[in-house]
């Protein structure tokens, strides 16, 4: 966009925001993905300003640190004492050497301001070659705000603060939004003439309009189409109201691009999130930060995604994810927790009560139930049995587990890292895998079971269990009278030292140790 004017943006952010009752400076309070200040800066960004000055004061160090992250090109200027908005702009301009062009001033606490609106204000101002133009809005309740006072011809006469206004002026519902465009040269001249002769004893930026008007300079009012954009934030109740309003705006915009929101009132999407067509977002869902959701993906109900990338046609149900990647067609939940660098390839599955951190889950691989996967690489088409733990931490260092492709690990396994299970390998249920399992092998690491026949009848005589055992023995005896292991015989023979079956037997036969693996 060709720019006839040098443009300077000044954001006023030195105030304390007393009514927020917070240790955090007001402009740093978050609102759907950006701070209040961040919203204002991004509304001003399309102006393509030659420089941006942010006046800082209360919590200056915190505000400066934030600026260096979100707007490293902006120049923070310290206003050590908050002597008024006019004083703040004067200090800002002292930091800007050359005089010409347009100065756009924006209060730091109007986060709903849209770029189009500030753009229209600046264009109108520059086209009219005005000395100063204020953004105004007609509001239902003007309490606490500066009023736009017009003369008989409807031209701006002055801006009066509520506390300095008379009854007639207070009845005016057209207010000053705290967003202005000025001609730099005439602004500087007027700022030098500001008095502190008002109820607060401050230098009011708004007085510049009356001064310019009296000097015969052209001053103008640009009326905002939607007054909601001009709402400021003074306490946490207003912050919550702004959050709801912004949520509705964001949600409506996504629905218009072809995303389904099944319950917009309980869907909270940060302004930094990207959604593709035909994504379906179910109720009670929060999408935050740098989250991206691919085409046709199903998210929710009851999902929080933070900085998480979800591929096309994937689904995430009743789950929480931070810094994770979910591949195309993959499925997550219900009740999964994906932590940073959990990476699920295409069509992978992370099921119920499963936590994954810093791990790659290969294409089509499944971790369906009750499992912790930490610091692991799992190949393709592998199944991890239920209730397994990837034991990644020895108390000092973290170690990796590598599981190959087409592996089938048994239920209730511990993989004590560093350890590897090869391609196509199996592991037995209940195993603590401390040594590598070669490709195609069956890894077994558990004690053999022994049954002490008749123990209950002998040691717990007279209990319901003993009676049930006896009945079972009788029934068995009745069905198979010739059975050498009949109940009466077996029960009578039981003792702690006998009946340990097949102690030396090796794994194999029709029922392998891996047969309790789950899918
Ligand atoms: C100001 C306007 C009022 C307008 C309202 C819109 C003035 C005198 N009044 O009133 O007409 O309707 O905004 O919200 O300008 N700030 C500084 N340094 C200071 C004082 C303020 O940086 O010395 C910053 C604050 O952090 C804030 C902004 O300027 O971001 C506005 O200050 P605030 O005290 O909120 O002014 P209002 O009384 O709301
Ligand atoms: Mg204010």
């Amino acid at each position: 966009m060709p720019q006839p004017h040098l443009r300077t943006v000044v954001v006023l952010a030195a105030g304390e925001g007393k009514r927020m009752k917070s240790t955090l400076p007001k402009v740093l309070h978050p609102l759907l993905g950006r701070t209040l200040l961040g919203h204002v800066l991004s509304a001003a960004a399309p102006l393509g300003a030659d420089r941006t000055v942010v006046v800082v004061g209360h919590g200056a160090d915190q505000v400066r640190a934030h600026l260096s992250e979100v707007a490293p090109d902006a120049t923070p200027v310290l206003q050590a004492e908050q002597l008024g908005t006019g004083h703040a702009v004067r200090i800002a301009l002292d930091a800007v050497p050359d005089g010409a062009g347009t100065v756009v001033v924006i209060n730091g606490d109007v986060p709903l301001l849209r770029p189009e609106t500030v753009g229209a204000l600046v264009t109108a101002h520059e086209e009219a070659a005005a000395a100063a133009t204020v953004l105004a809005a007609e509001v239902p309740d003007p309490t606490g705000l500066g009023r736009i006072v017009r003369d008989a011809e409807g031209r701006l006469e002055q801006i009066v603060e509520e506390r300095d206004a008379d009854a007639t002026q207070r009845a005016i519902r057209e207010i000053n939004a705290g967003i202005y465009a000025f001609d730099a040269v005439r602004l500087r001249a007027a700022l030098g003439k500001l008095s502190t002769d008002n109820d607060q004893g401050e230098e009011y930026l708004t007085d510049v309009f009356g001064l310019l008007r009296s000097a015969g300079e052209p001053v103008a009012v640009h009326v905002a189409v939607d007054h909601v954009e001009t709402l400021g934030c003074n306490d946490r109740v207003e912050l919550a109201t702004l959050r709801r309003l912004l949520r509705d705006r964001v949600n409506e915009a996504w629905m218009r691009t072809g995303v389904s929101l099944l319950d917009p009132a309980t869907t909270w999407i940060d302004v930094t999130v990207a959604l593709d067509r035909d994504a379906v977002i179910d109720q009670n869902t929060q999408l935050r930060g740098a989250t991206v959701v691919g085409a046709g993906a199903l998210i929710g109900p009851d999902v929080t995604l933070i900085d998480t990338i979800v591929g096309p046609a994937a689904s995430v149900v009743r789950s929480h994810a931070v810094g994770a990647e979910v591949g195309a067609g993959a499925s997550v939940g219900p009740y999964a927790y994906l932590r940073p660098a959990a990476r699920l390839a295409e069509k992978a599955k992370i099921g119920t009560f499963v936590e994954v951190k810093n791990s790659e889950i290969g294409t089509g691989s499944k971790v369906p139930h009750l499992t912790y996967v930490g610091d692991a690489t799992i190949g393709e088409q592998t199944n991890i049995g239920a209730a397994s733990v990837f034991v990644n931490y020895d108390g000092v260092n973290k170690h990796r587990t590598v599981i190959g492709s087409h592996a089938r690990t048994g239920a209730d396994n511990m993989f004590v890292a560093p350890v590897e299970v090869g391609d196509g390998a199996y592991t037995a249920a209940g195993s603590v895998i401390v040594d590598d399992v070669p490709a195609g092998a069956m890894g077994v690491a558990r004690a053999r079971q022994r049954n002490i026949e008749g123990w209950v009848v002998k040691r717990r005589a007279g209990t319901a269990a003993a009676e049930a055992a006896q009945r079972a023995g009788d029934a068995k005896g009745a069905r198979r009278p010739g059975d050498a292991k009949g109940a009466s015989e077996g029960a009578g023979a039981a003792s702690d030292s006998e009946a340990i079956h097949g102690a030396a037997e090796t794994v194999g036969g029709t029922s392998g140790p891996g047969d309790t693996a789950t899918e």
Side-chain angles (χ1 to χ4, degrees), residues 12-15 26-27 55 79 81-85 88 107-109 144-146 159 161 176-178 180 200 204-206 234:
L12 304 185
K26 175 166 85 177
V27 293
V55 181
Q79 184 194 26
E81 267 186 290
Q82 281 67 60
L83 302 176
T85 48
N107 284 359
D109 63 350
L145 296 166
I159 301 171
E161 292 309 295
N176 164 24
Y180 324 81
Q200 293 189 91
Y204 287 168
L205 179 61
T206 43
N234 292 301

mmCIF file of all heavy atoms in Angstrom, residues 12-15 26-27 55 79 81-85 88 107-109 144-146 159 161 176-178 180 200 204-206 234, ligand 1:
data_model
loop_
_atom_site.group_PDB
_atom_site.id
_atom_site.type_symbol
_atom_site.label_atom_id
_atom_site.label_comp_id
_atom_site.label_asym_id
_atom_site.label_seq_id
_atom_site.Cartn_x
_atom_site.Cartn_y
_atom_site.Cartn_z
ATOM 1 N N LEU A 12 -0.660 3.722 24.405
ATOM 2 C CA LEU A 12 -0.548 4.172 25.791
ATOM 3 C C LEU A 12 -0.764 2.994 26.738
ATOM 4 O O LEU A 12 -1.852 2.431 26.797
ATOM 5 C CB LEU A 12 -1.582 5.265 26.077
ATOM 6 C CG LEU A 12 -1.536 6.489 25.161
ATOM 7 C CD1 LEU A 12 -2.531 7.540 25.635
ATOM 8 C CD2 LEU A 12 -0.130 7.074 25.113
ATOM 9 N N ALA A 13 0.296 2.630 27.445
ATOM 10 C CA ALA A 13 0.214 1.434 28.287
ATOM 11 C C ALA A 13 0.947 1.616 29.604
ATOM 12 O O ALA A 13 1.484 0.666 30.168
ATOM 13 C CB ALA A 13 0.791 0.238 27.528
ATOM 14 N N ALA A 14 0.964 2.853 30.120
ATOM 15 C CA ALA A 14 1.707 3.096 31.352
ATOM 16 C C ALA A 14 0.837 3.001 32.590
ATOM 17 O O ALA A 14 1.342 2.914 33.707
ATOM 18 C CB ALA A 14 2.368 4.473 31.294
ATOM 19 N N GLY A 15 -0.471 3.007 32.384
ATOM 20 C CA GLY A 15 -1.386 3.024 33.535
ATOM 21 C C GLY A 15 -1.327 1.724 34.323
ATOM 22 O O GLY A 15 -0.905 0.686 33.830
ATOM 23 N N LYS A 26 -2.208 -4.219 33.720
ATOM 24 C CA LYS A 26 -3.483 -4.474 33.032
ATOM 25 C C LYS A 26 -3.297 -4.913 31.579
ATOM 26 O O LYS A 26 -3.932 -5.878 31.134
ATOM 27 C CB LYS A 26 -4.358 -3.214 33.075
ATOM 28 C CG LYS A 26 -5.643 -3.365 32.289
ATOM 29 C CD LYS A 26 -6.634 -2.284 32.600
ATOM 30 C CE LYS A 26 -6.395 -1.047 31.769
ATOM 31 N NZ LYS A 26 -7.425 -0.016 32.038
ATOM 32 N N VAL A 27 -2.414 -4.208 30.859
ATOM 33 C CA VAL A 27 -2.298 -4.491 29.417
ATOM 34 C C VAL A 27 -1.712 -5.879 29.133
ATOM 35 O O VAL A 27 -1.711 -6.322 27.989
ATOM 36 C CB VAL A 27 -1.456 -3.419 28.686
ATOM 37 C CG1 VAL A 27 -2.196 -2.091 28.696
ATOM 38 C CG2 VAL A 27 -0.061 -3.301 29.284
ATOM 39 N N VAL A 55 4.188 3.459 25.319
ATOM 40 C CA VAL A 55 4.494 4.168 26.558
ATOM 41 C C VAL A 55 4.290 3.210 27.728
ATOM 42 O O VAL A 55 3.189 2.680 27.917
ATOM 43 C CB VAL A 55 3.596 5.414 26.719
ATOM 44 C CG1 VAL A 55 3.946 6.163 28.010
ATOM 45 C CG2 VAL A 55 3.759 6.331 25.513
ATOM 46 N N GLN A 79 7.345 6.313 30.860
ATOM 47 C CA GLN A 79 6.701 7.460 31.493
ATOM 48 C C GLN A 79 6.734 7.151 32.995
ATOM 49 O O GLN A 79 5.910 6.396 33.508
ATOM 50 C CB GLN A 79 5.248 7.603 31.004
ATOM 51 C CG GLN A 79 4.555 8.831 31.562
ATOM 52 C CD GLN A 79 3.041 8.793 31.362
ATOM 53 O OE1 GLN A 79 2.443 7.726 31.251
ATOM 54 N NE2 GLN A 79 2.412 9.964 31.332
ATOM 55 N N GLU A 81 6.168 8.798 35.717
ATOM 56 C CA GLU A 81 5.002 9.183 36.512
ATOM 57 C C GLU A 81 3.830 9.333 35.571
ATOM 58 O O GLU A 81 3.966 9.970 34.511
ATOM 59 C CB GLU A 81 5.254 10.541 37.172
ATOM 60 C CG GLU A 81 5.819 10.466 38.566
ATOM 61 C CD GLU A 81 5.875 11.875 39.142
ATOM 62 O OE1 GLU A 81 6.705 12.666 38.665
ATOM 63 O OE2 GLU A 81 5.063 12.181 40.033
ATOM 64 N N GLN A 82 2.673 8.821 35.955
ATOM 65 C CA GLN A 82 1.519 8.884 35.064
ATOM 66 C C GLN A 82 0.792 10.210 35.276
ATOM 67 O O GLN A 82 -0.097 10.323 36.108
ATOM 68 C CB GLN A 82 0.598 7.686 35.301
ATOM 69 C CG GLN A 82 1.098 6.421 34.635
ATOM 70 C CD GLN A 82 2.390 5.883 35.231
ATOM 71 O OE1 GLN A 82 2.432 5.568 36.425
ATOM 72 N NE2 GLN A 82 3.448 5.801 34.440
ATOM 73 N N LEU A 83 1.210 11.188 34.490
ATOM 74 C CA LEU A 83 0.672 12.544 34.653
ATOM 75 C C LEU A 83 -0.411 12.849 33.632
ATOM 76 O O LEU A 83 -0.741 14.005 33.400
ATOM 77 C CB LEU A 83 1.816 13.568 34.554
ATOM 78 C CG LEU A 83 2.938 13.349 35.581
ATOM 79 C CD1 LEU A 83 4.076 14.340 35.363
ATOM 80 C CD2 LEU A 83 2.412 13.455 37.011
ATOM 81 N N GLY A 84 -0.916 11.806 32.989
ATOM 82 C CA GLY A 84 -2.029 11.992 32.056
ATOM 83 C C GLY A 84 -1.715 11.521 30.651
ATOM 84 O O GLY A 84 -0.557 11.343 30.266
ATOM 85 N N THR A 85 -2.795 11.336 29.886
ATOM 86 C CA THR A 85 -2.625 10.794 28.530
ATOM 87 C C THR A 85 -1.889 11.774 27.609
ATOM 88 O O THR A 85 -1.140 11.354 26.728
ATOM 89 C CB THR A 85 -3.993 10.427 27.923
ATOM 90 O OG1 THR A 85 -4.903 11.523 28.103
ATOM 91 C CG2 THR A 85 -4.595 9.194 28.577
ATOM 92 N N ALA A 88 1.707 11.498 28.423
ATOM 93 C CA ALA A 88 2.229 10.240 27.879
ATOM 94 C C ALA A 88 2.588 10.390 26.398
ATOM 95 O O ALA A 88 3.653 9.945 25.950
ATOM 96 C CB ALA A 88 1.206 9.126 28.064
ATOM 97 N N ASN A 107 -5.256 3.809 23.068
ATOM 98 C CA ASN A 107 -5.194 3.326 24.453
ATOM 99 C C ASN A 107 -4.858 1.834 24.437
ATOM 100 O O ASN A 107 -5.353 1.105 23.573
ATOM 101 C CB ASN A 107 -6.548 3.524 25.153
ATOM 102 C CG ASN A 107 -6.796 4.975 25.556
ATOM 103 O OD1 ASN A 107 -5.949 5.845 25.332
ATOM 104 N ND2 ASN A 107 -7.953 5.227 26.143
ATOM 105 N N GLY A 108 -4.056 1.406 25.399
ATOM 106 C CA GLY A 108 -3.600 0.015 25.393
ATOM 107 C C GLY A 108 -4.642 -1.002 25.807
ATOM 108 O O GLY A 108 -4.383 -2.208 25.799
ATOM 109 N N ASP A 109 -5.843 -0.544 26.179
ATOM 110 C CA ASP A 109 -6.818 -1.482 26.751
ATOM 111 C C ASP A 109 -8.105 -1.577 25.928
ATOM 112 O O ASP A 109 -9.180 -1.738 26.474
ATOM 113 C CB ASP A 109 -7.125 -1.086 28.199
ATOM 114 C CG ASP A 109 -7.778 0.301 28.299
ATOM 115 O OD1 ASP A 109 -7.806 1.015 27.290
ATOM 116 O OD2 ASP A 109 -8.247 0.640 29.402
ATOM 117 N N GLY A 144 -18.332 7.068 32.797
ATOM 118 C CA GLY A 144 -16.884 7.055 32.996
ATOM 119 C C GLY A 144 -16.076 7.478 31.776
ATOM 120 O O GLY A 144 -14.856 7.638 31.870
ATOM 121 N N LEU A 145 -16.743 7.664 30.647
ATOM 122 C CA LEU A 145 -15.994 7.950 29.421
ATOM 123 C C LEU A 145 -16.053 9.433 29.040
ATOM 124 O O LEU A 145 -16.953 10.167 29.471
ATOM 125 C CB LEU A 145 -16.564 7.104 28.272
ATOM 126 C CG LEU A 145 -16.386 5.600 28.482
ATOM 127 C CD1 LEU A 145 -17.258 4.808 27.512
ATOM 128 C CD2 LEU A 145 -14.922 5.204 28.321
ATOM 129 N N GLY A 146 -15.087 9.841 28.223
ATOM 130 C CA GLY A 146 -15.079 11.207 27.703
ATOM 131 C C GLY A 146 -16.196 11.371 26.666
ATOM 132 O O GLY A 146 -16.444 10.480 25.863
ATOM 133 N N ILE A 159 -13.717 17.582 23.647
ATOM 134 C CA ILE A 159 -13.980 16.305 24.321
ATOM 135 C C ILE A 159 -13.911 16.603 25.814
ATOM 136 O O ILE A 159 -12.932 17.183 26.296
ATOM 137 C CB ILE A 159 -12.935 15.238 23.940
ATOM 138 C CG1 ILE A 159 -12.958 15.006 22.419
ATOM 139 C CG2 ILE A 159 -13.202 13.936 24.694
ATOM 140 C CD1 ILE A 159 -11.814 14.122 21.912
ATOM 141 N N GLU A 161 -14.154 15.137 29.731
ATOM 142 C CA GLU A 161 -14.148 13.962 30.611
ATOM 143 C C GLU A 161 -15.400 13.988 31.485
ATOM 144 O O GLU A 161 -15.874 15.063 31.868
ATOM 145 C CB GLU A 161 -12.891 13.967 31.497
ATOM 146 C CG GLU A 161 -11.616 13.735 30.736
ATOM 147 C CD GLU A 161 -11.688 12.511 29.848
ATOM 148 O OE1 GLU A 161 -11.799 11.393 30.367
ATOM 149 O OE2 GLU A 161 -11.670 12.678 28.607
ATOM 150 N N ASN A 176 -15.701 9.196 23.425
ATOM 151 C CA ASN A 176 -14.350 9.100 22.875
ATOM 152 C C ASN A 176 -13.821 7.688 23.130
ATOM 153 O O ASN A 176 -13.716 7.247 24.271
ATOM 154 C CB ASN A 176 -13.476 10.148 23.581
ATOM 155 C CG ASN A 176 -11.994 9.890 23.386
ATOM 156 O OD1 ASN A 176 -11.580 9.251 22.421
ATOM 157 N ND2 ASN A 176 -11.187 10.403 24.312
ATOM 158 N N ALA A 177 -13.487 6.979 22.072
ATOM 159 C CA ALA A 177 -13.013 5.595 22.204
ATOM 160 C C ALA A 177 -11.565 5.508 22.668
ATOM 161 O O ALA A 177 -11.077 4.429 23.003
ATOM 162 C CB ALA A 177 -13.174 4.868 20.871
ATOM 163 N N GLY A 178 -10.860 6.619 22.670
ATOM 164 C CA GLY A 178 -9.449 6.584 23.091
ATOM 165 C C GLY A 178 -8.526 6.164 21.948
ATOM 166 O O GLY A 178 -7.440 5.624 22.172
ATOM 167 N N TYR A 180 -7.066 7.749 18.187
ATOM 168 C CA TYR A 180 -7.005 9.027 17.487
ATOM 169 C C TYR A 180 -5.967 8.996 16.373
ATOM 170 O O TYR A 180 -5.001 8.228 16.428
ATOM 171 C CB TYR A 180 -6.562 10.152 18.434
ATOM 172 C CG TYR A 180 -7.055 10.071 19.860
ATOM 173 C CD1 TYR A 180 -6.409 9.245 20.783
ATOM 174 C CD2 TYR A 180 -8.133 10.837 20.279
ATOM 175 C CE1 TYR A 180 -6.849 9.187 22.094
ATOM 176 C CE2 TYR A 180 -8.573 10.795 21.597
ATOM 177 C CZ TYR A 180 -7.929 9.962 22.509
ATOM 178 O OH TYR A 180 -8.351 9.907 23.806
ATOM 179 N N GLN A 200 -8.659 15.959 37.653
ATOM 180 C CA GLN A 200 -7.590 15.027 38.045
ATOM 181 C C GLN A 200 -6.214 15.679 38.107
ATOM 182 O O GLN A 200 -5.238 15.034 38.502
ATOM 183 C CB GLN A 200 -7.521 13.848 37.054
ATOM 184 C CG GLN A 200 -8.745 12.957 37.105
ATOM 185 C CD GLN A 200 -8.550 11.685 36.288
ATOM 186 O OE1 GLN A 200 -8.102 10.671 36.801
ATOM 187 N NE2 GLN A 200 -8.868 11.762 35.014
ATOM 188 N N TYR A 204 -4.491 16.162 29.781
ATOM 189 C CA TYR A 204 -5.401 15.338 28.990
ATOM 190 C C TYR A 204 -5.089 15.439 27.503
ATOM 191 O O TYR A 204 -5.099 16.526 26.931
ATOM 192 C CB TYR A 204 -6.849 15.819 29.169
ATOM 193 C CG TYR A 204 -7.503 15.508 30.495
ATOM 194 C CD1 TYR A 204 -8.710 16.131 30.826
ATOM 195 C CD2 TYR A 204 -6.968 14.593 31.396
ATOM 196 C CE1 TYR A 204 -9.359 15.854 32.019
ATOM 197 C CE2 TYR A 204 -7.608 14.314 32.591
ATOM 198 C CZ TYR A 204 -8.800 14.941 32.908
ATOM 199 O OH TYR A 204 -9.435 14.673 34.069
ATOM 200 N N LEU A 205 -4.874 14.320 26.881
ATOM 201 C CA LEU A 205 -4.707 14.311 25.430
ATOM 202 C C LEU A 205 -5.955 14.875 24.743
ATOM 203 O O LEU A 205 -5.874 15.531 23.707
ATOM 204 C CB LEU A 205 -4.456 12.864 24.959
ATOM 205 C CG LEU A 205 -4.290 12.671 23.459
ATOM 206 C CD1 LEU A 205 -3.096 13.444 22.918
ATOM 207 C CD2 LEU A 205 -4.142 11.176 23.129
ATOM 208 N N THR A 206 -7.082 14.598 25.345
ATOM 209 C CA THR A 206 -8.355 15.009 24.736
ATOM 210 C C THR A 206 -8.475 16.531 24.604
ATOM 211 O O THR A 206 -9.193 17.023 23.734
ATOM 212 C CB THR A 206 -9.514 14.478 25.591
ATOM 213 O OG1 THR A 206 -9.188 14.702 26.976
ATOM 214 C CG2 THR A 206 -9.681 12.997 25.378
ATOM 215 N N ASN A 234 -11.459 -2.274 32.255
ATOM 216 C CA ASN A 234 -11.004 -1.656 33.499
ATOM 217 C C ASN A 234 -10.981 -2.599 34.684
ATOM 218 O O ASN A 234 -10.243 -2.378 35.632
ATOM 219 C CB ASN A 234 -11.865 -0.429 33.807
ATOM 220 C CG ASN A 234 -11.619 0.668 32.779
ATOM 221 O OD1 ASN A 234 -10.503 1.140 32.618
ATOM 222 N ND2 ASN A 234 -12.656 1.030 32.034
HETATM 223 C C1 LIG B 1 -9.466 8.093 28.393
HETATM 224 C C2 LIG B 1 -9.936 9.381 27.721
HETATM 225 C C3 LIG B 1 -11.451 9.353 27.612
HETATM 226 C C4 LIG B 1 -11.879 8.133 26.836
HETATM 227 C C5 LIG B 1 -11.325 6.865 27.463
HETATM 228 C C6 LIG B 1 -11.588 5.692 26.560
HETATM 229 C C7 LIG B 1 -8.310 11.026 28.411
HETATM 230 C C8 LIG B 1 -8.049 12.217 29.273
HETATM 231 N N1 LIG B 1 -9.512 10.485 28.518
HETATM 232 O O1 LIG B 1 -10.016 8.103 29.694
HETATM 233 O O2 LIG B 1 -11.912 10.523 26.997
HETATM 234 O O3 LIG B 1 -13.299 8.082 26.774
HETATM 235 O O4 LIG B 1 -9.896 6.968 27.621
HETATM 236 O O5 LIG B 1 -11.231 4.501 27.219
HETATM 237 O O6 LIG B 1 -7.460 10.654 27.653
HETATM 238 N N2 LIG B 1 -2.073 6.172 30.284
HETATM 239 C C9 LIG B 1 -0.718 6.367 30.243
HETATM 240 N N3 LIG B 1 -0.163 7.343 30.983
HETATM 241 C C10 LIG B 1 -0.891 8.187 31.745
HETATM 242 C C11 LIG B 1 -2.289 7.985 31.776
HETATM 243 C C12 LIG B 1 -2.850 6.974 31.030
HETATM 244 O O7 LIG B 1 0.000 5.633 29.555
HETATM 245 O O8 LIG B 1 -0.313 9.056 32.378
HETATM 246 C C13 LIG B 1 -2.667 5.096 29.476
HETATM 247 C C14 LIG B 1 -3.393 4.051 30.284
HETATM 248 O O9 LIG B 1 -2.533 2.984 30.590
HETATM 249 C C15 LIG B 1 -4.511 3.623 29.326
HETATM 250 C C16 LIG B 1 -4.762 4.855 28.490
HETATM 251 O O10 LIG B 1 -3.630 5.676 28.636
HETATM 252 O O11 LIG B 1 -4.096 2.577 28.465
HETATM 253 C C17 LIG B 1 -6.008 5.603 28.924
HETATM 254 O O12 LIG B 1 -5.856 6.013 30.272
HETATM 255 P P1 LIG B 1 -7.042 5.924 31.298
HETATM 256 O O13 LIG B 1 -6.566 6.416 32.597
HETATM 257 O O14 LIG B 1 -7.689 4.597 31.231
HETATM 258 O O15 LIG B 1 -8.024 7.017 30.691
HETATM 259 P P2 LIG B 1 -9.581 7.063 30.870
HETATM 260 O O16 LIG B 1 -9.870 7.733 32.152
HETATM 261 O O17 LIG B 1 -10.155 5.739 30.616
#
